[in-house]
Amino acid sequence: MYRGEGRGVVAALLAGLLAACSSPAADDVPAPSDSRPGASSEVPSEPTATDPGPSPSGPACDAPCYGSPETVGQLDADTVIEVSGMAASQRTPGLYYVVSDEAGTSEVVVVREDGSPVVRLELGGMSTENAEALAVGPCGDDGGSEGDGDSEGDGDSCVYVGDIGDHVGRDSIAVYRTPEPDLSAVDGGTLDVDADELRYTYPDHPTDAEALIVDAAGRPLVVSKATFDRDTGETGPTRFYRGPADGGELELLGEIDLPAPEQGLLAALVGNVVTDAAYAEGRVLLRTYDEVLEYRAADPDPDDPADFPQWAVRRVPAPGQVQSETVTYLADGCGYLTTSELTGGIAAVRCE
């Protein structure tokens, strides 16, 4: 989320900038006409906020082909404050986990696509400092903690809460892991589940991050949130790390050379930075404040999502949300959701 000069100042700047460009209301801003698959994706020769990285390809549309963004729901403040992570349930398709980045967060809320709440998950032992990401993936060799009674997970998939933001300043980060509970017959109330606290340190220095995915071995992959120099308008490097399944030191895998946004309204204010990520078989989504990028493997069943920075990248439709900090594939992989931390608006992009 935005810090520094404060949320109100940034929101005012964004509102003024959008108004100056004669745009409609933030959550109703249509995606650029050239953000559709198969359209031109040439990076401008004079980007607003960053030096251009690799230009996303613009192939003829191949499955999945995505349609235009549509507003599908709203997360209100009683459900989650400052939503910073969202992930689709694998065990109960159609439900989604959301988390707030407020200090001391101990719960994950389960919601429907329209944002209506289903149940609150109280994670035993979790008290986050700056939770900025959610992922659902394999639990690793030990299968994670066992839940109690009806909340017990099946061991096949786990929910990962990435307490990986560094707005508070700290020497280590945490990822909390709990097996997905059976939510098929749950509606309302609070469900207590146990969680493992996995502690990680960086190999060089503490790093701010808001994006997390999990590989087949249950290892977290963290994409850093690059620094931004407001005086020069330059965005720093986006770094990519992987950690052991049960905690330890993160390994720096390299840097991700993000393409400069075609319409960098928000990048001009806060940088071309990654605010969330999602993984499906052979595909990775990266959310920035201006765009959604999709990386695709040549092999539809790649061995390691850690290779995704070398996969072909393309721009896919992105709703005009202010301060969008989540992205998640739909349960069937055919489309994705993204939300605004500032307004709570939920937008869907589906396959055509």
Side-chain angles (χ1 to χ4, degrees), residues 3 84-85 99-106 108 123 125-135 159-177 196-202 206-212 220 222 250:
R3 302 287 178 176
S84 59
V99 70
S100 169
D101 67 2
E102 290 293 283
T105 295
S106 61
V108 170
L123 274 65
M126 185 176 89
S127 180
T128 64
E129 296 183 67
N130 189 200
E132 290 285 358
L134 273 177
V159 180
Y160 292 81
V161 181
D163 187 12
I164 58 177
D166 194 37
H167 303 309
V168 294
R170 50 182 168 170
D171 295 329
S172 65
I173 59 173
V175 175
Y176 295 90
R177 178 184 63 197
D196 295 322
E197 181 187 53
L198 314 174
R199 302 298 307 188
Y200 293 95
T201 57
Y202 285 95
T207 300
D208 193 13
E210 297 189 357
L212 171 73
V222 177
L250 295 165

Side-chain angles (χ1 to χ4, degrees), residues 246-264:
D246 293 312
E249 184 173 277
L250 295 165
E251 174 190 3
L252 176 62
L253 300 180
E255 296 181 354
I256 301 172
D257 204 4
L258 294 177
E262 290 188 320
Q263 297 188 12

Side-chain angles (χ1 to χ4, degrees), residues 1-332:
M1 64 179 291
Y2 297 139
R3 302 287 178 176
E5 295 177 86
R7 179 187 303 270
V9 174
V10 174
L13 287 171
L14 294 176
L17 185 55
L18 291 172
C21 294
S22 300
S23 298
D27 280 334
D28 297 324
V29 177
S33 60
D34 53 1
S35 66
R36 297 288 297 275
S40 171
S41 57
E42 181 182 356
V43 175
S45 59
E46 295 181 5
T48 303
T50 61
D51 292 331
S55 176
S57 58
C61 188
D62 55 353
C65 298
Y66 299 123
S68 299
E70 58 176 313
T71 299
V72 295
Q74 181 78 27
L75 291 166
D76 61 38
D78 292 333
T79 301
V80 62
I81 300 173
E82 297 181 0
V83 59
S84 59
M86 188 177 202
S89 172
Q90 293 180 8
R91 190 173 185 189
T92 315
L95 298 184
Y96 298 85
Y97 303 99
V98 293
V99 70
S100 169
D101 67 2
E102 290 293 283
T105 295
S106 61
E107 67 176 18
V108 170
V109 185
V110 181
V111 300
R112 301 176 184 89
E113 184 179 291
D114 64 3
S116 58
V118 175
V119 67
R120 295 180 181 274
L121 302 182
E122 186 72 21
L123 274 65
M126 185 176 89
S127 180
T128 64
E129 296 183 67
N130 189 200
E132 290 285 358
L134 273 177
V136 173
C139 295
D141 292 339
D142 64 3
S145 294
E146 292 294 325
D148 295 326
D150 292 338
S151 69
E152 186 171 316
D154 63 5
D156 292 335
S157 58
C158 279
V159 180
Y160 292 81
V161 181
D163 187 12
I164 58 177
D166 194 37
H167 303 309
V168 294
R170 50 182 168 170
D171 295 329
S172 65
I173 59 173
V175 175
Y176 295 90
R177 178 184 63 197
T178 185
E180 277 205 83
D182 182 3
L183 301 173
S184 58
V186 176
D187 190 6
T190 299
L191 196 60
D192 293 328
V193 296
D194 291 333
D196 295 322
E197 181 187 53
L198 314 174
R199 302 298 307 188
Y200 293 95
T201 57
Y202 285 95
D204 37 21
H205 52 75
T207 300
D208 193 13
E210 297 189 357
L212 171 73
I213 61 176
V214 177
D215 69 12
R219 296 175 296 182
L221 299 162
V222 177
V223 180
S224 76
K225 185 176 183 181
T227 59
F228 177 65
D229 189 323
R230 192 169 291 178
D231 293 331
T232 64
E234 293 182 356
T235 302
T238 298
R239 295 186 172 91
F240 189 37
Y241 300 86
R242 176 163 55 195
D246 293 312
E249 184 173 277
L250 295 165
E251 174 190 3
L252 176 62
L253 300 180
E255 296 181 354
I256 301 172
D257 204 4
L258 294 177
E262 290 188 320
Q263 297 188 12
L265 297 179
L266 304 184
L269 295 176
V270 295
N272 186 27
V273 296
V274 175
T275 61
D276 202 13
Y279 172 59
E281 287 294 329
R283 289 174 289 140
V284 168
L285 290 172
L286 293 186
R287 187 61 161 114
T288 71
Y289 286 125
D290 290 295
E291 296 185 324
V292 180
L293 301 170
E294 185 173 58
Y295 293 75
R296 288 193 183 188
D299 179 354
D301 187 20
D303 293 331
D304 192 353
D307 295 331
F308 88 82
Q310 283 73 55
W311 299 349
V313 57
R314 66 174 184 169
R315 292 184 176 94
V316 292
Q321 295 173 325
V322 176
Q323 201 170 331
S324 184
E325 298 209 358
T326 78
V327 69
T328 183
Y329 280 109
L330 300 177
D332 62 3

